[in-house]
Amino acid sequence: MMLLPIIFCLLVVQFCEVSNAGVTSRYVRKLEASVDMPKQCFPPPPGFNAPEQVHITQGDHVGRSMIISWVTPIHHSPNVVAYWEAAAAGGHHGHKHKVHAKTTTYRYYNYSSGFIHHATIRRLKYDTKYFYQLGKHDVSRRFSFRTPPKVGPDVPYTFGVIGDLGQTYDSNQTFEHYVSNPKGQAVLFVGDLSYADNHPFHDNERWDIWGRFVEKSTAYQPWIWAPGNHELDYAPEIEEYMPFKPYMHRYHVPYKASKSTSPLWYSIKRASTYIIVLSSYSAYGKYTPQYKWLEQELAKVNRSETPWLIVLVHSPWYNSNTYHYMEGESMRVMFESWFVKYKVDLVFAGHVHSYERTERVSNIQYNITNGLSMPVKDASAPVYITIGDGGNIEGLASSFTEPQPSYSAFREASFGHAILEVKNRTHAFYTWHRNQDNEATAADSTWFYNRYWYPHEEPK
Ligand SMILES: [Fe+2]
C-alpha cells in the first residue's frame, strides 16, 4: 500500500524533468546537400612563389607575441616577415623589424607540401596595430593585426566562435557572416578545419585550398586552434601512420608557453580570459601527459587576473543529438569534477553538426554503487555549447534525441557561428547566429555570469 504514493511521486518527478526541458527550435533550415566549393574558387595569389595561406595565432601566454604562418609553393625563400607598428598619433610608422621563419615541408601519400613557414614575432606592444609584410618586391603581400589589450580582470574582449568549418558553400556563408561582423577580435576554433580527409587519399591540396579560403580573416586576427578528428589524417590503408601530420605541420600554437608537451593541448591568456585547449584524440586517462598537464594547469588559473575560464575541446560532453552521441563521455568522466571544482565558465565543443547550449549542470556524484547518475543543476558547472555547425561537407546533424533532456537549454539543427562579448569580470553577452537565407540571424542569445565573481543564475 505504501508503494503507491512513492510511485506517484516518482512519476511526478519524471514529468517535471521532462517539462523543465529547454527549447528545440522550430526553425527548419532547407536541407540541401553540402558540397565542397571547386578548387578554382581559391587560386593562389598572383606572382611567382607568392606567399599564401597566411594565418596568425597568439605566440606566447599573454598576447605580446604572434605566430605568423604562410606557405610559399616553389621555393623556401624568402622566409622572412617584416613588421612595424602602424602610424601612431604623430603619423610616423614604427621601425621595421625582420624575423626569419622556421620552414618545414611534409609528404602525405602522393602529395608534397609547399614550404610552410612559421615566424614568431615577440615583444609587441599591447593593444597596438601592426603591419606585416611577406615576400619580396612585386610579389610581396601586406597584412595587419591588432594586439590584445594587456591581460586584466575587467578588460573587454570579443571572440568569434566557429567549429567544423570545412569548405562548402555553407562554410562560405558561415565564414562570410563572421567576417562581415566587425565585433570579433579573435576566433576560438573548436576543431575540424579543412575536411581534406573526406576526399580520396586525404587530398592534401584541400588543406591548401582551405588555407586560402579563410585567409581574409586568419591573416588579420588570431584564430585559436583546437584539434578535431578531421585533423588526425591517420590512414594506415595508404601507409600514413603519423596522427595529425598535416595539421601539426601547418598550424603552430604556443604550447610550450603553458608548459604543455604537445601542440594538441595548451593554454593562453587573452584580455580577461584564460583559454584552455584540450585534445579529444590524445590520451587523457589518469597519469597521461594531458591529464597531468590539465591537473596542474587548472590550479594555476588566477581568477583575479583572468576571471573568465573557457575550455575548447572538439568532442562535446553534453549533447543530445543522436549523431556522435556520447563520444565525449569518457573525457567527461575524467575531467568534469575538476571543471566544477575550478568553476569553469564555458566549454565550447564542435564535432556534432548542429547547435546546442546547456543549462549549468554536472554529473559527478556517481560512484558505481550509489545510483546517482543523472545530471543535476550546479551553479559551479560550466555551460556547454556545441557549435560544430560551421557547414562542412558532411551536412547537418538534424536528429535530436526525444524528449529533449532537462540539461539542454536550446538546440537547433542549423549552420552558424557565435560571438562572445566579454564585458567585464562579471558579465559576458553571447549570441549564436544561424545562417538563414544568406543572412546571419541571431537565434540564441544570453548573458553569462562569471562563475567566480558573480555566480548567480542567468536569466532565461
Ligand atoms: Fe569532428
Side-chain angles (χ1 to χ4, degrees):
M1 289 294 283
M2 290 299 288
L3 272 178
L4 277 176
I6 295 171
I7 290 170
F8 177 73
C9 286
L10 284 173
L11 284 172
V12 168
V13 168
Q14 189 78 16
F15 175 75
C16 289
E17 277 176 9
V18 173
S19 64
N20 278 342
V23 174
T24 300
S25 170
R26 285 169 307 189
Y27 178 78
V28 178
R29 189 188 163 280
K30 191 177 155 211
L31 288 172
E32 67 227 353
S34 296
V35 294
D36 275 352
M37 295 178 282
K39 288 180 176 176
Q40 310 86 276
C41 289
F42 301 99
F48 178 76
N49 204 36
E52 58 170 274
Q53 305 173 49
V54 181
H55 52 94
I56 63 175
T57 197
Q58 185 164 317
D60 65 0
H61 209 228
V62 296
R64 285 194 63 198
S65 298
M66 197 75 87
I67 301 173
I68 314 281
S69 303
W70 73 100
V71 173
T72 50
I74 313 293
H75 280 303
H76 61 86
S77 177
N79 71 339
V80 175
V81 52
Y83 65 98
W84 61 96
E85 195 180 326
H92 298 292
H93 285 302
H95 278 297
K96 246 186 195 180
H97 305 272
K98 285 187 177 177
V99 168
H100 282 266
K102 287 182 179 159
T103 301
T104 185
T105 61
Y106 73 93
R107 289 185 58 80
Y108 191 96
Y109 188 59
N110 59 358
Y111 168 91
S112 296
S113 77
F115 295 89
I116 304 167
H117 311 282
H118 302 282
T120 303
I121 58 180
R122 304 177 194 278
R123 292 181 287 281
L124 302 170
K125 293 179 186 170
Y126 284 115
D127 203 11
T128 300
K129 183 175 178 179
Y130 285 87
F131 288 107
Y132 67 100
Q133 186 170 317
L134 307 169
K136 276 186 179 166
H137 311 305
D138 56 333
V139 289
S140 71
R141 300 180 68 205
R142 180 184 293 188
F143 307 90
S144 66
F145 61 82
R146 187 165 199 90
T147 52
K150 189 174 184 209
V151 170
D154 289 299
V155 180
Y157 201 76
T158 299
F159 293 98
V161 192
I162 302 175
D164 302 62
L165 186 56
Q167 46 190 298
T168 71
Y169 293 98
D170 289 315
S171 321
N172 194 39
Q173 267 199 10
T174 304
F175 180 68
E176 289 296 330
H177 290 164
Y178 174 68
V179 170
S180 63
N181 185 335
K183 285 184 175 175
Q185 296 170 281
V187 168
L188 306 177
F189 192 86
V190 291
D192 285 358
L193 286 66
S194 75
Y195 286 76
D197 59 345
N198 274 6
H199 292 270
F201 310 115
H202 297 223
D203 181 3
N204 269 228
E205 206 185 328
R206 281 285 173 188
W207 275 106
D208 293 314
I209 307 289
W210 196 81
R212 295 180 200 140
F213 161 46
V214 295
E215 186 189 75
K216 72 177 172 183
S217 178
T218 58
Y220 295 92
Q221 58 175 247
W223 284 39
I224 310 305
W225 305 107
N229 55 306
H230 287 278
E231 278 66 73
L232 273 162
D233 283 308
Y234 172 71
E237 68 278 12
I238 51 173
E239 298 186 0
E240 287 297 344
Y241 298 108
M242 186 195 294
F244 299 105
K245 189 204 264 185
Y247 173 70
M248 291 208 295
H249 277 86
R250 291 168 181 272
Y251 292 89
H252 280 195
V253 297
Y255 66 99
K256 289 178 183 165
S258 56
K259 307 256 187 307
S260 167
T261 49
S262 166
L264 302 172
W265 60 88
Y266 64 101
S267 73
I268 58 163
K269 299 174 192 172
R270 199 164 180 87
S272 49
T273 69
Y274 199 104
I275 295 162
I276 292 178
V277 173
L278 297 179
S279 173
S280 299
Y281 306 101
S282 307
Y284 47 78
K286 199 160 185 179
Y287 315 123
T288 61
Q290 184 168 208
Y291 179 101
K292 293 182 85 166
W293 176 83
L294 182 61
E295 186 177 33
Q296 292 175 359
E297 184 67 15
L298 284 166
K300 281 184 202 164
V301 181
N302 174 1
R303 303 296 276 273
S304 295
E305 184 191 42
T306 51
W308 292 90
L309 179 50
I310 296 169
V311 174
L312 313 183
V313 63
H314 186 64
S315 189
W317 297 0
Y318 284 97
N319 185 281
S320 63
N321 202 291
T322 58
Y323 193 61
H324 295 312
Y325 189 59
M326 289 183 77
E327 284 185 19
E329 181 67 2
S330 52
M331 188 187 247
R332 182 192 70 75
V333 170
M334 292 309 299
F335 293 150
E336 186 181 18
S337 59
W338 292 352
F339 281 23
V340 172
K341 177 182 174 186
Y342 291 102
K343 301 181 192 301
V344 172
D345 290 294
L346 297 165
V347 178
F348 290 105
H351 202 39
V352 177
H353 302 158
S354 64
Y355 173 75
E356 187 159 4
R357 171 174 58 83
T358 72
E359 307 284 355
R360 294 194 183 276
V361 293
S362 69
N363 184 5
I364 53 178
Q365 299 303 318
Y366 181 56
N367 67 9
I368 216 165
T369 55
N370 64 9
L372 301 174
S373 58
M374 289 290 286
V376 294
K377 283 216 167 194
D378 188 336
S380 296
V383 168
Y384 295 88
I385 291 170
T386 304
I387 190 155
D389 55 353
N392 62 71
I393 195 170
E394 293 173 351
L396 280 168
S398 53
S399 167
F400 287 112
T401 57
E402 298 293 349
Q404 185 168 7
S406 56
Y407 66 73
S408 172
F410 183 94
R411 56 185 190 173
E412 179 179 314
S414 294
F415 294 130
H417 76 280
I419 297 284
L420 177 67
E421 300 171 62
V422 176
K423 304 290 189 187
N424 52 37
R425 76 182 66 196
T426 57
H427 284 63
F429 189 68
Y430 168 83
T431 309
W432 175 66
H433 302 264
R434 77 160 74 99
N435 300 349
Q436 181 175 341
D437 301 331
N438 297 323
E439 286 182 25
T441 302
D444 180 38
S445 58
T446 184
W447 285 97
F448 290 129
Y449 297 159
N450 187 271
R451 289 302 94 189
Y452 183 85
W453 289 101
Y454 195 66
H456 299 281
E457 189 167 358
E458 287 97 344
K460 291 280 180 192

